[in-house]
Amino acid sequence: MRCLHSEKAHDLGITCCDFSSHPVSDGEQSPQFFRLASCGQDCQVKIWFVSFSHVLGFELKYKSTLSGHCAPVLTCAFSHDGQMLVSGSVDKSVIIYDTNFQNILHTLTQHTRYVTTCAFAPNILLLATGSMDKTVNIWQFDLETLCQAGSTEDHLKQFTEDWSEEDVSLWLCAQGLKDLVGIFKMNNIDGKELLNLTKESLADDLKIESLGLRSKALRKIEELRTEVKSLSSEIPDEFICPITRELMKDPVIASDGYSYEKDAMENWISKKKRTSPMTNLVLPSVILTPNRTLKMAINRWLETHQK
């Protein structure tokens, strides 16, 4: 092994550091990088960006400092998707941060002595914290916390985008737009087309002559877009396949410990990719195990939100 870089990161010494296993990118043309968290005796947690390739070499960039502790920070760890970071301190507290917005999601104060270690579970919504008070505490996250932590709107428009023409017809009737059903069916408007309709397309392409009807239709479509955007920010990231970036329907656990959509992972392996999509390490086995617990959680979430 060789040392690629040495950085003076904390004035009073470093107690822990952790890499996020989930790569991030600034754009399609930008190289991927990983988040690195460090904590130390200066009571601070710092976030760094690390990139490494044979072409560009190694680069470490300081990103931000997370505050909240009033005593030395002894431990830090990323969640499996990199959306959250947890830290434990001599001040006896555990703080959970949103890594995208740098804000505090939770502060836990149940330990009575120094918090020395913490760890996220890889595939379930659990956090473990350990302390010099001789206890290990196991925490479960509620949906509200997960909704706050790094949700994006792009990967979850699929509920409306997956609507058939018949679904669109039912939606029109529910909005008091029954007179438009025939026009929409004639033009094969499905969910994806519905979300892309504009004032111009309603008048020029669909030939809706009534100004009042066009205005009402446009208003209802705008409301639907707003609902889709709101819904998209609520889906927990662990319900999203790392390969397709879509909500999983048949999740399986691979030998790297991560969950994927079954068809996507089988396709990944069939192309002779014996490496993990998440870690890029060689998979010890190509056996895929159904993740029934995750599937049940997704189905429960769907039942709640699609009402």
Side-chain angles (χ1 to χ4, degrees), residues 168-187:
V168 173
S169 297
L170 292 172
W171 177 80
L172 287 170
C173 293
Q175 306 304 315
L177 296 169
K178 188 176 180 180
D179 293 342
L180 297 180
V181 170
I183 297 175
F184 275 56
K185 280 189 172 182
M186 189 184 303
N187 288 274

Side-chain angles (χ1 to χ4, degrees), residues 175-200:
Q175 306 304 315
L177 296 169
K178 188 176 180 180
D179 293 342
L180 297 180
V181 170
I183 297 175
F184 275 56
K185 280 189 172 182
M186 189 184 303
N187 288 274
N188 305 114
I189 303 297
D190 57 14
K192 190 171 184 179
E193 293 294 332
L194 178 65
L195 290 175
N196 291 324
L197 289 177
T198 63
K199 180 180 179 180
E200 291 73 21

Side-chain angles (χ1 to χ4, degrees), residues 250-254 259 262 287-295:
D250 190 10
V252 293
I253 303 175
S259 290
K262 182 180 179 182
I287 296 175
L288 303 176
T289 306
N291 192 338
R292 295 185 177 88
T293 302
L294 181 57
K295 186 174 183 178

Side-chain angles (χ1 to χ4, degrees), residues 122-123 252-260 265 268-269 273-279 281-290:
N123 289 298
V252 293
I253 303 175
S255 57
D256 61 357
Y258 291 94
S259 290
Y260 306 91
M265 193 57 184
W268 178 277
I269 295 171
K273 294 180 181 178
R274 290 295 300 269
T275 57
S276 163
M278 292 293 286
T279 66
L281 299 175
V282 177
L283 292 168
S285 167
V286 294
I287 296 175
L288 303 176
T289 306

Side-chain angles (χ1 to χ4, degrees), residues 75-93:
T75 180
C76 61
F78 281 101
S79 60
H80 75 284
D81 57 5
Q83 300 298 322
M84 291 184 284
L85 177 72
V86 62
S87 60
S89 168
V90 172
D91 63 14
K92 308 173 189 175
S93 73

Side-chain angles (χ1 to χ4, degrees), residues 18-170:
D18 187 49
F19 271 110
S20 167
S21 61
H22 196 77
V24 220
S25 177
D26 288 329
E28 292 183 4
Q29 304 301 321
S30 302
Q32 287 188 331
F33 55 85
F34 287 86
R35 290 188 180 100
L36 169 68
S38 63
C39 58
Q41 299 286 342
D42 56 4
C43 313
Q44 295 180 342
V45 178
K46 293 186 179 181
I47 303 292
W48 312 79
F49 284 165
V50 176
S51 61
F52 177 67
S53 70
H54 295 295
V55 178
L56 300 175
F58 177 88
E59 186 176 19
L60 175 69
K61 287 184 177 180
Y62 167 77
K63 172 62 177 176
S64 60
T65 297
L66 305 178
S67 57
H69 289 293
C70 59
V73 186
L74 301 180
T75 180
C76 61
F78 281 101
S79 60
H80 75 284
D81 57 5
Q83 300 298 322
M84 291 184 284
L85 177 72
V86 62
S87 60
S89 168
V90 172
D91 63 14
K92 308 173 189 175
S93 73
V94 174
I95 296 180
I96 300 152
Y97 303 92
D98 180 329
T99 56
N100 292 312
F101 299 102
Q102 320 280 298
N103 60 304
I104 295 176
L105 298 174
H106 278 300
T107 299
L108 311 174
T109 57
Q110 279 73 8
H111 284 295
T112 58
R113 295 193 66 187
Y114 300 173
V115 178
T116 54
T117 187
C118 47
F120 282 97
N123 289 298
I124 50 177
L125 312 180
L126 298 178
L127 168 70
T129 60
S131 166
M132 293 299 288
D133 61 13
K134 304 179 183 178
T135 65
V136 172
N137 291 346
I138 309 296
W139 309 86
Q140 182 179 22
F141 291 93
D142 54 27
L143 182 60
E144 183 180 354
T145 300
L146 296 168
C147 294
Q148 295 173 25
S151 301
T152 62
E153 61 186 70
D154 287 340
H155 39 270
L156 308 178
K157 288 184 179 176
Q158 61 211 58
F159 299 121
T160 309
E161 285 189 346
D162 285 345
W163 281 2
S164 64
E165 294 176 26
E166 188 60 35
D167 291 328
V168 173
S169 297
L170 292 172

Side-chain angles (χ1 to χ4, degrees), residues 194-212:
L194 178 65
L195 290 175
N196 291 324
L197 289 177
T198 63
K199 180 180 179 180
E200 291 73 21
S201 60
L202 289 173
D204 301 335
D205 299 331
L206 300 188
K207 309 295 184 185
I208 300 174
E209 296 180 359
S210 169
L211 176 60

